[in-house]
Amino acid sequence: MSDAGELLTIAVDVVRGAADLVLAMRTEAIADVSTKSTRTDVVTAADRAAEAYVIDALRTRRPGDAVLGEESGEHSTAGTGTAGARREGMPEPASEAGRVRWILDPIDGTVNYLYGLPQYAVSLAAERDGLVVAGVVRNAATGEQWTAVRGGGAYRSGHRLACSAVTELSQTLVATGFGYAAARRAHQARVLAGLLPLVRDIRRFGAASLDLCFAAEGRFDAYFEKGLSAWDHAAGGLVAAEAGLVVSGLAGQPPGPDLVLAAPPGVYRQLHDALVAFDAAGGP
Ligand code: LIP
């Protein structure tokens, strides 16, 4: 069974290469933009190229693992293909129990990438038996990088991270984000209208993985968002939890598409209950 630290070492190496590719090809990539769920939900040639790069690298270094990528879905790295062909003597694919699944967002913050706002990241997590055990988030524009191993703490460039110690909701700087569909955005606006008078202020930076890492080091106090996919929060959620934030959904649910909430213990319950009151996990 793979040591989480070894998985993190591979993830850091692969993500660095993907982030360098994303940055290098931005000029051409933003000339090749298509859309997904709505006209504002964009994907570029760089999203696709970075995802292919990571999958190919993992096929070489971790044959037999599974990969879930935002742009191309679920893969096995035991598949055929250039680097994926199973070479003589290579280990059999891991059995389901203990099998590693990689969860990848090749560019989180794609709209920021399109506009040249330096807040976009490559996010890669390693999950084993349904539990994320290692994760890395790398801001491709600035080179800032956050890492975590379950039970081993969270770090940015070698510095151990600790979340905010805030205890009053009225003193809490809260980050959030919004979906792409108009009906969901209208509901999220109503939630925000209820929350805004109760907190210090709101921030919206546009990349969930980086939002979770910023909360992990207290650049803002807390974060919540509805509508995230696993690739948006798998790595950043581990960084946040290892920095001391409580990471959950609402009403006893795990973090997921209904809601991801990351808050310091001192205000978790106050913020959680306010989000429940405003039906932040509800709506379209
Ligand atoms: C983004 C998320 C962000 C959310 C954006 C978008 P993408 O992911 O990271 O938190 O508010 O609407 O979903 O689409 O850039 O990978």
Side-chain angles (χ1 to χ4, degrees), residues 158-181:
H159 299 287
R160 178 120 188 201
L161 305 180
C163 66
S164 161
V166 68
T167 58
E168 294 175 56
L169 190 58
S170 62
Q171 298 301 306
T172 302
L173 186 62
V174 180
T176 191
F178 310 112
Y180 291 109

Side-chain angles (χ1 to χ4, degrees), residues 133-205:
V133 294
V136 53
V137 177
R138 186 177 181 92
N139 185 321
T142 67
E144 289 179 294
Q145 178 171 282
W146 294 262
T147 60
V149 167
R150 187 169 293 277
Y155 294 83
R156 172 167 60 80
S157 308
H159 299 287
R160 178 120 188 201
L161 305 180
C163 66
S164 161
V166 68
T167 58
E168 294 175 56
L169 190 58
S170 62
Q171 298 301 306
T172 302
L173 186 62
V174 180
T176 191
F178 310 112
Y180 291 109
R184 172 165 291 179
R185 295 168 70 80
H187 179 76
Q188 291 173 316
R190 289 190 289 271
V191 173
L192 208 51
L195 189 65
L196 191 56
L198 306 180
V199 298
R200 174 192 285 268
D201 206 348
I202 292 291
R203 295 288 184 273
R204 197 287 201 253
F205 279 74

Side-chain angles (χ1 to χ4, degrees), residues 63-246:
D65 288 356
V67 184
L68 171 62
E70 176 176 10
E71 309 309 341
S72 58
E74 195 91 30
H75 299 254
S76 165
T77 60
T80 55
T82 50
R86 290 184 49 65
R87 291 178 288 277
E88 197 59 38
M90 291 299 287
E92 285 300 312
S95 64
E96 281 310 309
R99 190 177 186 210
V100 172
R101 180 174 77 148
W102 300 89
I103 303 172
L104 168 67
D105 193 334
I107 304 179
D108 185 32
T110 306
V111 172
N112 289 342
Y113 181 70
L114 190 62
Y115 281 76
L117 297 170
Q119 194 72 4
Y120 48 90
V122 180
S123 175
L124 183 62
E127 178 192 72
R128 189 167 56 217
D129 297 329
L131 187 68
V132 173
V133 294
V136 53
V137 177
R138 186 177 181 92
N139 185 321
T142 67
E144 289 179 294
Q145 178 171 282
W146 294 262
T147 60
V149 167
R150 187 169 293 277
Y155 294 83
R156 172 167 60 80
S157 308
H159 299 287
R160 178 120 188 201
L161 305 180
C163 66
S164 161
V166 68
T167 58
E168 294 175 56
L169 190 58
S170 62
Q171 298 301 306
T172 302
L173 186 62
V174 180
T176 191
F178 310 112
Y180 291 109
R184 172 165 291 179
R185 295 168 70 80
H187 179 76
Q188 291 173 316
R190 289 190 289 271
V191 173
L192 208 51
L195 189 65
L196 191 56
L198 306 180
V199 298
R200 174 192 285 268
D201 206 348
I202 292 291
R203 295 288 184 273
R204 197 287 201 253
F205 279 74
S209 59
L210 292 174
D211 290 338
L212 287 160
C213 292
F214 275 28
E217 59 176 289
R219 292 196 197 182
F220 29 73
D221 298 304
Y223 164 74
F224 76 96
E225 185 163 354
K226 176 185 173 63
L228 297 181
S229 299
W231 46 76
D232 292 313
H233 66 86
L238 181 63
V239 170
E242 287 296 321
L245 290 160
V246 180

Side-chain angles (χ1 to χ4, degrees), residues 26-62:
R26 181 173 176 276
T27 305
E28 68 178 277
I30 61 174
D32 176 7
V33 180
S34 46
T35 58
K36 297 187 291 189
S37 63
T38 70
R39 288 189 58 227
T40 54
D41 182 3
V42 294
V43 56
T44 73
D47 292 85
R48 291 186 288 267
E51 183 150 320
Y53 172 94
V54 171
I55 291 169
D56 198 53
L58 291 174
R59 274 199 175 119
T60 301
R61 301 187 57 172
R62 293 281 310 174

